[in-house]
Amino acid sequence: MSKVILKIENVSKQYRLGQVGTGTISHDLNRWWAKIRGKEDPFLKIGETNDRSKKGDTDYVWALQDINFEVNQGEVLGIIGKNGAGKSTLLKILSRVTSPTTGSIKTRGRIASLLEVGTGFHPEMTGRENVYLNGAILGMTKKEIASKIDEIIEFSGCERYIDTPVKRYSSGMTVRLAFAVAAHLDPEILVVDEVLAVGDAEFQKKAIGKMQDISREAGKTVLFVSHNMAAVQNLCTRGVVMRNGTIFFEGDIEESIQVYLKDNANIESLANFDSRIGSGVIKVIESSIYGENKNLEPQIGKPFHIELTIDNPQEIDSSHIRFDLKIDDRMGQRIAWMSNYLFNKETKSNVCKILFKMDKLNLNEGGYYISTDVYVDLKRADWLQSAIYFEVVDGDYYKAGRGVPVAESRLLFDFDVNFISK
C-alpha cells in the first residue's frame, strides 16, 4: 500500500503588488493588534484571484488559494498550467524558499529542489567547487559529496570544464551541473521546475531517465513542472492542472494533459487570448476550421481548411509577413508545420485573412491543437501556443473500406504495395 509522503492542506499565498515586504506600517500594526487579540489577519479577507491578464481593484493578490492534494511515495506528479498559474510559487513553498500565508505542508524525508538555473552557484568558483557548495546548500555532507563527485561530474557531461569558473559556463552547462547535484542528493522528494528546457535534447532524455530511475528503482517521489507535454507524459504518473492560483483538475496524467490543452485552447475567438507573445502589429483574432465546406467537419481523406482572421491596422502587405502554423497531437507532440515561407505567392496588400488548405487531409482520427506564429519583417508579431483545438472524424483515406488504427499512426501517407512473385 502506498504511503503519503507529502500532504498539502489549505495552502494559500498572498502578495501585495508593487511593494517590498508586507506593506505599510499601519498594515503591520493592524496585523500585530489582530494577532495579540487572537484574531485572524484582517488582510486575509481581501485580495483577488491570480489572473495576470486582468487589471485588479486591490493591491493584494492571491498567488495561490486553498491548495489541497497528497503525493504518495514513489509517485511522479506533473504540475501543469499556463504561465502565471502559480506552479513555481507552489514549488518555492514546498522547497521552503518562501512560506505560505495560510495552510500547512507535511513531508516525510528530505526535499531537493531545482527551481532556477544555477541557483546557489557562485560564478567565480569552479564547477567542482560549486558541486561542494551546492551539495552543502541542499543538505549533503562533505563526505557524501566526495563519494559521489565523480559520478556527478560524469553525469553532467562537463568534465572538461569542471575546474573552470562557472561564470564561463553556458546556461545549458550550468543546468547540467545543477541537475546532476540535485539528482545525486538521494532525496525522498525531488522538485524540478521548467529548468530542463535549457538543456539540449540529449541531456533532457538523460535527465528524464534519471528521474524515472529515482522514482521506479529507488522509490523516491518527483514533482515535475514543465510545458513540454511529451516529457510530462513520459515521466509522470499523475497530474495536477493549475489555473489562476487554484487547482483546476487532478487525476490521471493523460486526462490532465487533455484538460490543460483544452483549457488553453480558444476555438471561437482569439482576440482576448491572453497567453500571446509579440509586438502586436498583427494579431490573429478568429479561427475557422472546417472540411470540404464550412458546414462539414474535418474528415480523413477529404479537403481541409484552416481560415484565420487577422487584425492588421497598419495594412501591412503579405511580402512583409511570414505566417507559420503548427499542428500538435493531444500529447503536445508536433505533427505538422506549414508556412507561407515555403511558397512564392503574389503580394497582397491590406491582408485580413489567411487560408491554409489541404486537398486530402492525412491526419488520423482524433483531436489536435494549432499554434500560430506571425512575423513582420522577421520580427515576431504574434505567437499563440496550442490556441485552437479541432477534431478529425473517421474516413476512408485509402478507399479500402477500412481505417488505420489511431494507435499505429497519426499521419497517413499515399503509397502503394505490391506482392511480387518469381
Side-chain angles (χ1 to χ4, degrees):
M1 185 176 177
S2 298
K3 294 188 291 184
V4 175
I5 195 169
L6 176 64
K7 188 172 185 179
I8 297 167
E9 297 180 303
N10 303 314
V11 167
S12 298
K13 181 66 177 178
Q14 187 187 66
Y15 288 109
R16 188 175 187 205
L17 301 177
Q19 299 291 330
V20 177
T22 60
T24 64
I25 294 175
S26 63
H27 286 180
D28 290 343
L29 288 173
N30 286 334
R31 285 191 170 100
W32 171 79
W33 182 240
K35 185 176 180 180
I36 64 172
R37 289 187 299 143
K39 303 290 185 180
E40 185 182 35
D41 185 336
F43 296 102
L44 294 184
K45 298 175 183 177
I46 63 174
E48 298 173 321
T49 56
N50 183 28
D51 187 347
R52 60 182 167 78
S53 65
K54 296 178 182 177
K55 182 175 176 61
D57 298 319
T58 173
D59 289 339
Y60 289 91
V61 64
W62 290 100
L64 297 174
Q65 198 162 24
D66 297 326
I67 303 294
N68 291 277
F69 64 87
E70 295 179 350
V71 186
N72 293 324
Q73 184 175 350
E75 190 171 37
V76 184
L77 181 71
I79 303 175
I80 55 181
K82 294 182 182 180
N83 293 330
K87 306 182 299 296
S88 295
T89 300
L90 176 60
L91 294 194
K92 286 176 182 177
I93 289 173
L94 295 176
S95 306
R96 296 176 184 171
V97 173
T98 187
S99 57
T101 305
T102 64
S104 63
I105 298 169
K106 299 173 183 175
T107 64
R108 295 171 56 247
R110 184 162 57 176
I111 297 178
S113 305
L114 192 57
L115 301 180
E116 295 178 17
V117 178
T119 300
F121 275 29
H122 194 293
E124 298 296 335
M125 297 171 68
T126 66
R128 188 185 304 274
E129 291 167 339
N130 270 295
V131 169
Y132 281 95
L133 174 63
N134 201 236
I137 291 171
L138 292 173
M140 298 171 76
T141 63
K142 186 176 180 179
K143 184 178 179 181
E144 191 178 358
I145 300 168
S147 66
K148 296 179 179 180
I149 192 162
D150 291 339
E151 190 178 349
I152 291 170
I153 294 170
E154 182 182 358
F155 184 87
S156 72
C158 300
E159 188 169 359
R160 184 170 186 177
Y161 304 97
I162 199 65
D163 293 309
T164 300
V166 166
K167 67 181 180 182
R168 297 193 175 96
Y169 284 21
S170 67
S171 58
M173 289 171 62
T174 305
V175 78
R176 277 174 168 265
L177 197 58
F179 181 84
V181 176
H184 288 83
L185 175 59
D186 196 26
E188 277 68 37
I189 303 171
L190 178 61
V191 176
V192 183
D193 205 344
E194 187 64 83
V195 292
L196 294 186
V198 178
D200 54 30
E202 178 262 336
F203 178 69
Q204 288 184 32
K205 183 177 179 181
K206 191 175 182 179
I208 288 172
K210 181 64 176 179
M211 287 188 281
Q212 287 173 333
D213 293 342
I214 289 171
S215 62
R216 294 173 187 171
E217 297 177 12
K220 308 299 183 182
T221 302
V222 178
L223 272 63
F224 184 56
V225 167
S226 179
H227 290 285
N228 183 336
M229 293 301 109
V232 170
Q233 183 195 18
N234 290 334
L235 179 63
C236 303
T237 54
R238 190 163 64 89
V240 166
V241 183
M242 297 188 68
R243 181 211 275 175
N244 297 337
T246 61
I247 291 181
F248 178 60
F249 179 83
E250 181 181 356
D252 172 78
I253 190 59
E254 290 199 10
E255 195 174 356
S256 297
I257 292 172
Q258 291 309 304
V259 169
Y260 162 67
L261 290 173
K262 281 192 175 181
D263 184 47
N264 198 45
N266 187 333
I267 300 171
E268 296 177 356
S269 175
L270 301 171
N272 298 319
F273 190 82
D274 57 2
S275 297
R276 64 200 317 151
I277 296 172
S279 65
V281 292
I282 283 183
K283 285 185 178 180
V284 179
I285 56 173
E286 286 183 10
S287 66
S288 179
I289 314 296
Y290 54 93
E292 201 161 1
N293 60 56
K294 292 193 175 183
N295 298 316
L296 294 176
E297 297 177 273
Q299 185 178 14
I300 296 172
K302 300 289 186 181
F304 174 59
H305 301 81
I306 302 171
E307 186 177 295
L308 300 161
T309 303
I310 65 172
D311 181 25
N312 184 8
Q314 298 182 24
E315 300 187 1
I316 299 168
D317 68 61
S318 59
S319 64
H320 296 277
I321 300 171
R322 169 172 166 171
F323 199 107
D324 294 354
L325 187 144
K326 304 157 190 177
I327 301 177
D328 297 338
D329 67 9
R330 287 176 177 266
M331 292 298 110
Q333 294 176 306
R334 183 60 34 83
I335 298 297
W337 174 79
M338 297 178 278
S339 176
N340 68 319
Y341 170 75
L342 301 173
F343 298 91
N344 291 317
K345 291 282 187 180
E346 180 185 348
T347 299
K348 300 287 184 182
S349 62
N350 192 17
V351 178
C352 64
K353 286 185 183 290
I354 296 176
L355 178 65
F356 287 84
K357 180 183 176 183
M358 297 172 65
D359 293 330
K360 187 178 180 183
L361 180 59
N362 65 332
L363 295 177
N364 212 340
E365 183 182 10
Y368 297 88
Y369 295 88
I370 292 175
S371 299
T372 61
D373 207 355
V374 190
Y375 293 83
V376 174
D377 293 329
L378 303 180
K379 294 181 180 178
R380 176 172 273 161
D382 194 35
W383 176 59
L384 305 179
Q385 185 175 23
S386 301
I388 306 162
Y389 176 77
F390 70 96
E391 292 190 357
V392 176
V393 299
D394 198 11
D396 189 0
Y397 186 87
Y398 295 106
K399 309 297 183 186
R402 62 185 72 92
V404 176
V406 176
E408 298 297 332
S409 179
R410 281 290 182 191
L411 281 176
L412 308 174
F413 302 93
D414 286 315
F415 68 95
D416 193 16
V417 57
N418 291 294
F419 292 98
I420 301 172
S421 58
K422 293 181 179 179

